[in-house]
Amino acid sequence: MENNRLSQDEIDALLNGTGSTPDEPEVPEVHDLSEMERDAIGEIGNISFGSSATALSTLLNQKVDITTPSVTVIPKSKISDAFPEPYVAIEVNYTEGFSGSNLLVVEQNDAAIIADLMIGGDGKGADPSLGEIHLSAVQEAMNQMMGSAATSMSTVFSKKIDISPPRVELLDVTEEKGTDRIPDDEMLVKVSFNLKVGELIDSSIMQLYPLTFAKDLISSLMNTGNTEEETTSQPDVTYEQPKEPVTPEPRIEPQQQQQPPKRQGTPKKAAPVQVSPVEFSAFDPNEASQAPINNLDMLLDIPLSITVELGRTKRSVKEILELSAGSIIELDKLAGEPVDILVNQRIVAKGEVVVIEENFGVRVTDILSQAERINNLK
């Protein structure tokens, strides 16, 4: 009889749970992002929320700044440490391009200010207890922001990306209110941006999504970069000539054949060619003088672009970025001063603006002299 009894070491291994089956290799779980992956997530957020800031600035009629994000990985068990205060959570699902959810989190006081600005208020003294109208206003603002972000992501990933209409809900982790909107994954990625809205808000706006979804974003971004690199580094392609019947070329006499260019090296004796002097027809100066000098008949049908310029000014890039709806730009012309009339971007006359029924027009008051117009063309 064979001895099938287990040794003491094997019994200890079974009791301690340290035994392993060789047929089932252990798969390491990923619980963090590398530095390069964090930079990639930050760059995606920086590009997408850059356009979102522009959309929000237009809606609120306020200057909006969203800074470069910081990326952290947090376990779901410690979500209360990441969100200790009452927030407003906006859930967005990707319907095309990606498969996953994205939770946008804003502090409740900031959401109240955004809602007050959306419904025509000044944002000062906004009531943090958000009602139905205020939540709808926040939902519309976030819808515009995430729509702009999805458009920017479509450019980054070179594919169409679409999202579902956002759903807004109050989030209070300490009281377990609205926590069902938080993804069920064990590890979550939090992308935190600093949000400034005029002089009213200086706070944070955060994205929260599963670590697996972040890995999908990074993988897709890397594949997009590799595809572009392969496209730009493709070697020259030689196309085969189509297999069609070729019409034989007419036979060229030896004396009419063009001699190939000489190559450097030992000169070879070229074939003799026929050389003859060129003969020009007689030139009669009287005939040239009889031709019309100012014949413009052939130019009368050429279309020209006419522009009326009210004035000009120069602004720095910073000042241009600060423009919003309602901003006033001061020009270099005084009120009532004649406007410039340009043809193909060259000034030819001056005039005054008039209204013809419901359209603007310009009445010519002064035409530049021929010498001045010629100087403007130089």
Side-chain angles (χ1 to χ4, degrees):
M1 178 182 292
E2 298 179 1
N3 186 7
N4 294 328
R5 290 181 299 176
L6 297 176
S7 65
Q8 186 62 40
D9 293 336
E10 292 175 341
I11 295 174
D12 294 338
L14 290 174
L15 293 176
N16 295 330
T18 58
S20 60
T21 306
D23 296 337
E24 298 179 358
E26 296 182 357
V27 178
E29 297 183 2
V30 179
H31 296 298
D32 204 350
L33 295 172
S34 65
E35 191 66 28
M36 184 186 69
E37 291 174 330
R38 291 173 186 264
D39 292 340
I41 291 295
E43 185 62 25
I44 294 172
N46 193 28
I47 295 174
S48 59
F49 272 81
S51 60
S52 298
T54 303
L56 188 61
S57 177
T58 304
L59 287 174
L60 305 182
N61 196 20
Q62 294 279 340
K63 180 184 176 183
V64 177
D65 289 329
I66 297 180
T67 61
T68 304
S70 62
V71 181
T72 56
V73 179
I74 56 175
K76 190 175 180 180
S77 58
K78 296 183 179 180
I79 197 71
S80 58
D81 297 336
F83 302 99
E85 301 175 2
Y87 293 86
V88 174
I90 302 94
E91 183 182 17
V92 176
N93 293 318
Y94 290 92
T95 59
E96 187 172 354
F98 289 106
S99 177
S101 62
N102 185 354
L103 198 67
L104 198 63
V105 182
V106 187
E107 291 188 12
Q108 191 167 338
N109 292 331
D110 300 339
I113 295 174
I114 293 174
D116 190 62
L117 292 173
M118 286 286 292
I119 61 178
D122 57 3
K124 299 178 181 179
D127 188 3
S129 58
L130 298 170
E132 196 68 28
I133 297 178
H134 297 83
L135 287 176
S136 298
V138 174
Q139 181 176 353
E140 178 59 26
M142 296 303 112
N143 187 26
Q144 296 292 333
M145 287 185 63
M146 296 306 297
S148 299
T151 302
S152 299
M153 290 177 65
S154 298
T155 304
V156 173
F157 292 100
S158 301
K159 62 180 178 180
K160 184 179 179 181
I161 298 176
D162 203 358
I163 59 173
S164 64
R167 292 181 291 179
V168 180
E169 190 171 339
L170 296 177
L171 175 65
D172 193 341
V173 180
T174 57
E175 296 184 2
E176 297 184 356
K177 187 177 181 180
T179 53
D180 55 331
R181 299 297 181 191
I182 300 176
D184 295 331
D185 295 57
E186 178 61 29
M187 301 303 296
L188 303 174
V189 175
K190 185 183 78 167
V191 187
S192 180
F193 303 83
N194 181 251
L195 173 66
K196 292 183 179 181
V197 179
E199 301 294 333
L200 302 172
I201 297 177
D202 188 358
S203 183
S204 297
I205 182 171
M206 292 156 281
Q207 276 184 298
L208 191 67
Y209 45 78
L211 179 61
T212 54
F213 181 70
K215 292 286 186 178
D216 292 340
L217 289 177
I218 297 169
S219 176
S220 182
L221 181 64
M222 296 303 178
N223 292 335
T224 302
N226 294 336
T227 303
E228 292 178 354
E229 183 178 354
E230 292 174 359
T231 303
T232 55
S233 62
Q234 284 182 351
D236 296 336
V237 180
T238 304
Y239 296 95
E240 296 183 357
Q241 296 293 337
K243 297 180 180 180
E244 297 181 356
V246 181
T247 304
E249 298 181 356
R251 184 174 179 270
I252 302 177
E253 296 298 330
Q255 62 272 16
Q256 296 178 352
Q257 294 181 354
Q258 185 177 3
Q259 297 299 322
K262 295 182 179 181
R263 299 180 180 177
Q264 295 181 354
T266 306
K268 296 183 180 180
K269 186 176 180 180
V273 296
Q274 295 181 355
V275 180
S276 59
V278 92
E279 295 182 0
F280 296 98
S281 59
F283 176 74
D284 187 358
N286 295 327
E287 294 180 0
S289 62
Q290 295 174 0
I293 298 177
N294 294 323
N295 186 5
L296 299 178
D297 293 341
M298 294 183 295
L299 306 179
L300 295 180
D301 293 335
I302 296 178
L304 300 176
S305 176
I306 299 179
T307 306
V308 178
E309 186 176 281
L310 184 61
R312 296 189 180 190
T313 187
K314 290 184 179 180
R315 291 289 184 270
S316 64
V317 174
K318 178 182 178 182
E319 293 172 324
I320 295 298
L321 294 176
E322 292 176 352
L323 292 178
S324 61
S327 299
I328 297 176
I329 302 175
E330 184 179 356
L331 303 177
D332 58 356
K333 290 288 184 71
L334 299 176
E337 188 176 352
V339 296
D340 296 331
I341 303 174
L342 300 91
V343 176
N344 281 8
Q345 305 302 320
R346 306 291 183 179
I347 181 170
V348 297
K350 294 183 179 293
E352 58 183 8
V353 178
V354 296
V355 178
I356 305 173
E357 295 180 353
E358 296 182 355
N359 298 324
F360 283 110
V362 61
R363 179 186 290 115
V364 178
T365 58
D366 185 24
I367 299 179
L368 273 64
S369 65
Q370 184 176 6
E372 291 174 327
R373 280 178 279 171
I374 292 175
N375 288 332
N376 287 337
L377 295 176
K378 294 181 180 179

